[in-house]
Structures are given as C-alpha cells and as structure tokens.
Amino acid sequence: MLRFVARFTGIWLFAGSIVLAVLDGARSVAASRLVFTSVRESWGRWSPGTLASLEATLERTAVPSVNDFIAAWLLGAPSWVLLGAMAFLLV
C-alpha cells in the first residue's frame, strides 16, 4: 500500500514537473532568453504565508551554512527540477 502511494505521488509530481518545464520553455521562447520560475516564486504564488514562515525560521536558525544552502540553492532552483527530483525519488 505504501509503495502504491509513493508511486502515485511520484507520478503526479512528475506530471507537475513536465507542466512547469513546458511553461518555462514557452516563457523562454517568448522572451528570447532563458527564463525559469524558481521554487521561491512558485511557493510565494501558491502559499505566501508558509514561505514567510520558512524564511522567518531560517533567520532564527543558528547555523548560517544551512540557511545559505536552503535559501540560496534550494529556493533558487527551477521549480521543475525540484519536482522532478522528488518524483524520481518516489517512483
């Protein structure tokens, strides 16, 4: 049962990753340059309260190297890459 739930979730994450990649590709073609939507932009669009809560928690954390990793690298990554990676791990 757990395997089914993990694969089902992974397939939906993969589908979302493809949709976001197509949207970023269309925006890139329209702008004639590489354009991608970061995780921070997507998260802020869908749930700004939880993003603000995460950023406030990161500011209070005493480990600045972890904050830099999460804030700069993870939240700055393209959304479709993060969803694709999570889908790969679940499937």
Side-chain angles (χ1 to χ4, degrees):
M1 181 68 183
L2 185 59
R3 188 182 330 175
F4 169 76
V5 171
R7 286 187 180 172
F8 184 77
T9 305
I11 289 171
W12 278 102
L13 287 174
F14 184 67
S17 172
I18 290 173
V19 168
L20 288 173
V22 168
L23 288 174
D24 284 349
R27 288 184 188 125
S28 295
V29 169
S32 297
R33 64 181 177 87
L34 183 62
V35 176
F36 67 87
T37 307
S38 69
V39 173
R40 177 177 276 124
E41 291 174 36
S42 296
W43 194 348
R45 186 175 302 140
W46 290 98
S47 182
T50 57
L51 178 62
S53 174
L54 174 72
E55 289 175 342
T57 303
L58 289 176
E59 288 177 5
R60 291 190 309 255
T61 305
V63 184
S65 61
V66 173
N67 295 347
D68 293 341
F69 173 76
I70 292 173
W73 191 80
L74 209 59
L75 292 177
S79 298
W80 64 270
V81 171
L82 186 65
L83 282 181
M86 290 189 312
F88 177 75
L89 289 175
L90 287 174
V91 172

